[in-house]
Amino acid sequence: MFRKALEQVVTYEAGKPIELVMREYGIKQEDVIKLGSNENPYGSSPKVIQSLQESAHKAYLYPDDSMYELKNALASRFNVRSEEIIIGAGSDQILEFCMQALEHKNARVIMAKTTFAMYEVYARLAGVEICKTPSDGHNLDEFLSLYNANRGEKDYKRVSAVFLCVPNNPLGECLDTQDVEEFIKKLDRDTLVIIDGAYQEYAAFKDKKKAFNPADLIKKFENVIYLGTFSKVYGLGGMRVGYGIASKGIIAMLYKVRPPFNVSTLSLQAALVSLEDSAFIEQCIQSNASEMLRYEAMARDNALAFIPSYANFITLSSPRIESTHLAQWLLARGLIVRNLASYGLNALRITIGTPSQNTRVFELIQTYLGLSN
Amino acid sequence: MFRKALEQVVTYEAGKPIELVMREYGIKQEDVIKLGSNENPYGSSPKVIQSLQESAHKAYLYPDDSMYELKNALASRFNVRSEEIIIGAGSDQILEFCMQALEHKNARVIMAKTTFAMYEVYARLAGVEICKTPSDGHNLDEFLSLYNANRGEKDYKRVSAVFLCVPNNPLGECLDTQDVEEFIKKLDRDTLVIIDGAYQEYAAFKDKKKAFNPADLIKKFENVIYLGTFSKVYGLGGMRVGYGIASKGIIAMLYKVRPPFNVSTLSLQAALVSLEDSAFIEQCIQSNASEMLRYEAMARDNALAFIPSYANFITLSSPRIESTHLAQWLLARGLIVRNLASYGLNALRITIGTPSQNTRVFELIQTYLGLSN
């Protein structure tokens, strides 16, 4: 009855919810700290919460399927036109649209070895061959050499899509804008370059060289789509809103695979209001930057390895630590972090929390390290 | 760059939102009556609104991707197991999962000539051939003869899915449970029968013979999936929550194409609370039944044809009326109804509103008929 290709599809392992920790470990809600899914530890903007409360009575009304207001707000924020924007249930859904809409016949897609897991999931569902770079993080030379491999030969397959995650989840490193642009110039025009900027707000603050400008990009390249999300610094992980910015032609094709009403009424409202509260966003980004320094100091003090991160999380590892054991130990104490064993790495990804949350993380990690000495 | 099949995909025309009528006609929000999308005219249950307000601060947290609580509540409501349930962003999304997961190679799908437009959209995206019955509504003899057409011959294509909409949107008629069961017995086990019960609560109240019991169905048939939604009588059209009930094996395969976090945190919460407020739901169903009688009387008084409806809408037509003109005329006066011209019918589908909304509808229609006499 079902497609054979599905047998190979592995279901994405989502971060653990607070309710699960409460159920399984009998820990009270207020004692659970969730730093496993890169949510904004400050929550949503108070203005968003108020607006959600005021709009709750609209839950019975189907969303405005034209997404008129949010598209206009994004268009003015990014200095692009409404027709150059598509809005999805998270930027995830835009990835799904891309994979569904592209012609993958005799084609393959290219991504970094260790990058956002959904690239592979959606590519697999589309039945396209997946090529990964040898290095974990993004190395554009490796991308290019994969891109050109077997060119002109009998077994050559064109590349339908290239995934670039800037900064990269779950590792944290980030490519420079200029290097990415040089890279794209070397690709064919029928390859879609997907630039995933889910954590761009943090990277742009830390280093201007890592700041991607969607309007610039789509002016220069007809084959680029830039993805952004409201799930991270905008504090709306639960509302499922993301967006894609690309040329009108690409957006029109993605619209063909978009189901109607793909974003809920309250989600559209929350995203709109969150865009307006730039003071809140700025505070969150600044706190992230200063707390990141505390994490780096803690890592150095405890001889833990870390990758300098341009996002709102840090990836820690050590040959002394078995990440699955540590993650489990922390979970039993109410701290949810992300074990990267499912990515094939002996490492933990921890979302940068509020100062008091982070202090608790440091205490727990130090206790654990003390125990294992 | 994109799939050729997409050229044939026509984007679903969503019902018009209130904001659009305000923008385009300069009508005040309180003067717009929306009876175009079969939402519950009484809105969401007050308990749901309160719960949404209390949960608004959780908007930053990714949803519990196991949907533990809502699944348990649905399992207990329908007397099935959690593993026999999948939850989607509207029952729409379950349709999409079915079309994505099924093997359509050398296959076709069967549906009524005039039925929910998304069946065709998702089937087209899956690239499968679509066969429609000659009659507008559901005629099971026609379904069966389409099913058996060319059986055993060279150009025979198996049927991967049959769509049954009970009651049928946008017409309102509803098959009897017993007839559907007899029909399914005649099909092969590798055909998925999709029983769409989006408006079942209304039908079950009006006539027990039209009441489909998902637990019974999946016990009797391994190849059936029953779909339900929170968008209609449960008053959550804007929240995008629906569900599918089927054998564990079918659900497991649909899970493979489900994107993570496909239902928002607040949507899960709203659906859970709406399930509990059965008094509200019953009131809404009863009002719908009595107001439906007023619509039928109005139709008779004005010599308008109508199809007896088992849902929360009524489809009106008359050779004296050009539905596109009437819909436009009503829109300019703040009344949103659904013109069925896009379904190839000269008819209007009107959601049964509150008593005062309906009185206004009757006045407007009578004024229009008076003008055109």
Side-chain angles (χ1 to χ4, degrees):
Chain A
M1 195 189 257
F2 294 99
R3 285 164 50 205
K4 273 248 183 298
L6 295 186
E7 287 167 16
Q8 282 184 37
V9 175
V10 180
T11 307
Y12 175 79
E13 191 202 338
K16 292 186 170 37
I18 291 172
E19 294 80 2
L20 181 134
V21 180
M22 293 161 61
R23 279 197 306 271
E24 293 196 356
Y25 295 93
I27 299 175
K28 277 183 287 181
Q29 182 157 356
E30 56 269 34
D31 294 335
V32 179
I33 297 178
K34 189 181 181 206
L35 299 174
S37 301
N38 301 339
E39 291 137 340
N40 184 337
Y42 293 98
S44 317
S45 145
K47 289 179 185 165
V48 167
I49 297 173
Q50 194 192 331
S51 163
L52 279 171
Q53 287 167 339
E54 288 165 3
S55 309
H57 68 282
K58 290 189 185 168
Y60 77 108
L61 288 169
Y62 278 95
D64 171 4
D65 201 40
S66 73
M67 310 196 195
Y68 182 85
E69 291 188 274
L70 182 56
K71 272 190 167 182
N72 275 358
L74 284 168
S76 113
R77 159 66 53 101
F78 287 110
N79 199 21
V80 297
R81 290 174 302 158
S82 262
E83 313 93 79
E84 292 164 334
I85 300 174
I86 186 165
I87 296 172
S91 50
D92 259 56
Q93 195 179 34
I94 318 281
L95 290 168
E96 192 185 11
F97 295 163
C98 292
M99 286 302 100
Q100 283 182 2
L102 286 173
E103 176 57 75
H104 296 300
K105 212 170 155 184
N106 200 36
R108 57 208 163 99
V109 297
I110 298 178
M111 63 186 74
K113 182 174 165 198
T114 301
T115 189
F116 185 42
M118 292 309 296
Y119 303 159
E120 182 167 352
V121 172
Y122 291 124
R124 228 176 255 289
L125 284 172
V128 63
E129 189 184 316
I130 297 161
C131 300
K132 295 181 181 183
T133 58
S135 298
D136 275 314
H138 289 67
N139 176 322
L140 286 175
D141 291 335
E142 292 180 4
F143 269 81
L144 199 61
S145 104
L146 274 183
Y147 192 89
N148 291 321
N150 303 326
R151 229 179 216 284
E153 286 177 40
K154 233 181 150 181
D155 60 345
Y156 177 68
K157 288 185 170 183
R158 59 179 275 275
V159 175
S160 50
V162 173
F163 295 88
L164 299 176
C165 196
V166 288
N168 186 24
N169 174 19
L171 298 181
E173 96 282 2
C174 190
L175 291 167
D176 284 7
T177 317
Q178 208 180 335
D179 296 338
V180 168
E181 292 194 5
E182 288 307 314
F183 169 73
I184 300 173
K185 284 181 194 160
K186 293 171 190 151
L187 309 184
D188 298 329
R189 284 299 184 86
D190 67 346
T191 297
L192 183 66
V193 182
I194 300 170
I195 298 184
D196 184 349
Y199 301 89
Q200 254 297 302
E201 293 84 0
Y202 301 106
F205 176 81
K206 188 170 177 178
D207 186 347
K208 290 254 172 302
K209 292 199 300 295
K210 318 282 188 190
F212 286 75
N213 180 325
D216 269 9
L217 280 168
I218 70 168
K219 233 170 267 163
K220 287 181 191 159
F221 305 107
E222 267 177 26
N223 56 332
V224 161
I225 184 163
Y226 174 89
L227 306 185
T229 185
F230 287 93
S231 299
K232 304 303 171 187
V233 74
Y234 284 94
L236 294 176
M239 301 306 282
R240 317 306 298 122
V241 198
Y243 52 89
I245 299 177
S247 67
K248 198 176 152 184
I250 290 176
I251 296 298
M253 293 310 281
L254 298 183
Y255 250 91
K256 298 229 173 197
V257 297
R258 182 193 72 100
F261 309 124
N262 58 321
V263 179
S264 92
T265 300
L266 297 189
S267 301
L268 289 171
Q269 173 69 13
L272 188 67
V273 176
S274 79
L275 260 187
E276 289 160 9
D277 194 356
S278 48
F280 173 79
I281 302 302
E282 203 165 308
Q283 274 171 12
C284 296
I285 295 175
Q286 275 171 359
S287 162
N288 184 74
S290 54
E291 290 298 301
M292 183 71 81
L293 297 176
R294 289 182 67 208
Y295 266 89
E296 292 178 356
M298 183 278 290
R300 277 190 215 98
D301 289 349
N302 291 283
L304 299 174
F306 66 92
I307 301 165
S309 168
Y310 291 87
N312 71 339
F313 56 81
I314 191 163
T315 293
L316 300 172
S317 65
S318 160
R320 291 175 295 152
I321 290 175
E322 212 270 290
S323 68
T324 302
H325 185 267
L326 173 51
Q328 206 52 50
W329 188 89
L330 294 170
L331 198 62
R333 281 147 190 87
L335 175 60
I336 309 173
V337 300
R338 191 58 175 263
N339 176 18
L340 297 185
S342 64
Y343 285 84
L345 298 176
N346 181 34
L348 289 187
R349 189 196 68 188
I350 305 178
T351 307
I352 308 304
T354 62
S356 64
Q357 287 176 330
N358 298 333
T359 299
R360 174 81 180 133
V361 172
F362 302 164
E363 284 167 7
L364 283 168
I365 290 181
Q366 276 153 357
T367 303
Y368 181 86
L369 291 172
L371 290 175
S372 54
N373 275 345
Chain B
M1 194 188 255
F2 295 100
R3 285 163 51 204
K4 273 249 182 301
L6 294 186
E7 287 166 16
Q8 283 182 37
V9 174
V10 181
T11 307
Y12 175 79
E13 190 201 339
K16 291 185 171 35
I18 290 172
E19 294 79 3
L20 180 136
V21 180
M22 292 161 62
R23 277 197 306 272
E24 293 198 355
Y25 296 92
I27 299 175
K28 276 182 286 181
Q29 183 158 357
E30 57 268 33
D31 295 334
V32 179
I33 298 177
K34 190 182 180 204
L35 299 174
S37 301
N38 301 338
E39 290 136 340
N40 185 338
Y42 293 98
S44 317
S45 144
K47 288 178 185 165
V48 167
I49 296 173
Q50 195 190 330
S51 163
L52 279 172
Q53 287 167 339
E54 288 165 4
S55 309
H57 69 282
K58 290 188 184 166
Y60 78 108
L61 287 169
Y62 279 94
D64 172 4
D65 201 41
S66 73
M67 309 195 195
Y68 182 85
E69 292 188 272
L70 183 55
K71 272 190 167 182
N72 276 359
L74 284 168
S76 115
R77 158 68 52 101
F78 288 109
N79 197 23
V80 297
R81 291 175 302 158
S82 262
E83 313 92 79
E84 292 164 333
I85 299 175
I86 186 165
I87 296 172
S91 51
D92 259 56
Q93 196 180 32
I94 318 282
L95 289 169
E96 192 185 10
F97 294 164
C98 291
M99 286 303 100
Q100 283 182 0
L102 286 173
E103 176 56 76
H104 296 300
K105 213 172 153 180
N106 199 35
R108 58 209 161 98
V109 298
I110 298 178
M111 63 186 72
K113 182 174 163 197
T114 301
T115 190
F116 185 40
M118 292 307 298
Y119 302 159
E120 183 167 352
V121 172
Y122 291 123
R124 225 174 259 289
L125 284 172
V128 63
E129 188 185 316
I130 297 162
C131 300
K132 296 182 179 182
T133 60
S135 298
D136 274 314
H138 288 68
N139 175 323
L140 287 174
D141 291 336
E142 292 180 6
F143 270 82
L144 199 61
S145 103
L146 273 183
Y147 192 88
N148 291 322
N150 304 326
R151 228 181 217 283
E153 287 177 39
K154 234 181 152 183
D155 60 343
Y156 178 68
K157 288 186 170 184
R158 60 179 275 275
V159 175
S160 50
V162 173
F163 294 89
L164 300 176
C165 195
V166 289
N168 186 24
N169 174 19
L171 299 181
E173 96 281 2
C174 191
L175 292 166
D176 284 7
T177 316
Q178 209 179 333
D179 297 337
V180 168
E181 292 194 6
E182 289 307 314
F183 168 72
I184 300 173
K185 283 180 194 162
K186 293 171 191 153
L187 309 185
D188 297 329
R189 284 299 184 85
D190 68 345
T191 296
L192 183 66
V193 182
I194 300 170
I195 298 184
D196 183 349
Y199 300 89
Q200 254 296 301
E201 293 83 1
Y202 300 107
F205 177 82
K206 187 169 180 180
D207 185 347
K208 289 254 171 303
K209 292 198 301 291
K210 318 282 187 191
F212 286 75
N213 180 325
D216 268 10
L217 280 169
I218 70 168
K219 235 171 265 163
K220 287 180 190 159
F221 305 106
E222 267 177 26
N223 55 332
V224 160
I225 183 163
Y226 174 88
L227 306 187
T229 184
F230 288 93
S231 299
K232 305 304 172 187
V233 73
Y234 285 94
L236 293 175
M239 301 306 283
R240 317 305 299 123
V241 198
Y243 52 89
I245 299 177
S247 67
K248 199 177 149 181
I250 290 177
I251 296 299
M253 293 310 281
L254 298 184
Y255 250 90
K256 297 229 173 196
V257 297
R258 182 192 73 98
F261 309 124
N262 59 321
V263 179
S264 92
T265 299
L266 296 189
S267 301
L268 289 171
Q269 174 68 15
L272 188 67
V273 176
S274 79
L275 260 187
E276 289 160 7
D277 194 356
S278 48
F280 173 80
I281 303 301
E282 204 165 306
Q283 275 171 11
C284 296
I285 294 175
Q286 276 171 359
S287 161
N288 183 73
S290 53
E291 290 299 302
M292 183 71 83
L293 297 177
R294 287 182 68 208
Y295 266 90
E296 293 178 355
M298 182 278 289
R300 277 189 215 97
D301 290 348
N302 292 283
L304 300 174
F306 67 91
I307 302 164
S309 168
Y310 292 87
N312 70 339
F313 56 82
I314 191 163
T315 293
L316 301 171
S317 64
S318 160
R320 291 177 294 152
I321 289 174
E322 212 270 292
S323 70
T324 303
H325 185 266
L326 174 52
Q328 207 52 49
W329 188 89
L330 294 171
L331 198 62
R333 281 148 191 86
L335 174 61
I336 309 173
V337 300
R338 191 59 177 262
N339 176 18
L340 297 186
S342 64
Y343 285 84
L345 298 176
N346 181 33
L348 289 187
R349 189 195 69 187
I350 306 178
T351 307
I352 308 303
T354 62
S356 64
Q357 288 176 328
N358 298 333
T359 299
R360 174 81 180 135
V361 173
F362 301 164
E363 285 167 6
L364 283 169
I365 290 182
Q366 276 153 357
T367 303
Y368 182 85
L369 292 172
L371 289 176
S372 53
N373 275 344

